Amino acid sequence: MDQAHLVGVYTQEEMPEELEGFVRYQAARDGRQMKAGERIAVLNVTGTSSYVPVFLADINGFADLESRLSQHGVQADRVSMVSLRRVLQEMGHS
């Protein structure tokens, strides 16, 4: 499984232009509408120009996040895992 590094957690309004296409693609693939202010974690697959967006409102905890990443064939690196855990705790997810 490839490693992925957290680029950042953004709202749709804050999303860097170069990442917008990845986020729109993932939203379409998931059949979801993005909401204003929704937080989206974006991870870069280490050594590539591929990005994995994760809509944090859909996540029910860290195990769920790990499962979603594994569906993309990636796992968050250690530093990213710590950051993502903190973000999920701030959002009230375990």
Side-chain angles (χ1 to χ4, degrees), residues 54-89:
V54 179
F55 298 93
L56 296 179
D58 296 343
I59 300 298
N60 295 317
F62 193 74
D64 188 23
L65 174 63
E66 288 181 311
S67 173
R68 301 245 180 161
L69 292 174
S70 71
Q71 291 172 5
H72 292 277
V74 300
Q75 63 184 19
D77 62 30
R78 191 164 181 231
V79 171
S80 298
M81 287 175 28
V82 170
S83 297
L84 287 166
R85 276 187 199 274
R86 186 174 59 245
V87 169
L88 289 173
Q89 287 174 343

Side-chain angles (χ1 to χ4, degrees), residues 9-29:
V9 177
Y10 307 99
T11 63
Q12 182 179 351
E13 300 79 15
E14 301 169 329
M15 189 65 58
E17 186 176 333
E18 63 271 13
L19 301 177
E20 288 176 357
F22 293 97
V23 174
R24 280 195 305 272
Y25 173 79
Q26 189 63 49
R29 187 169 181 239

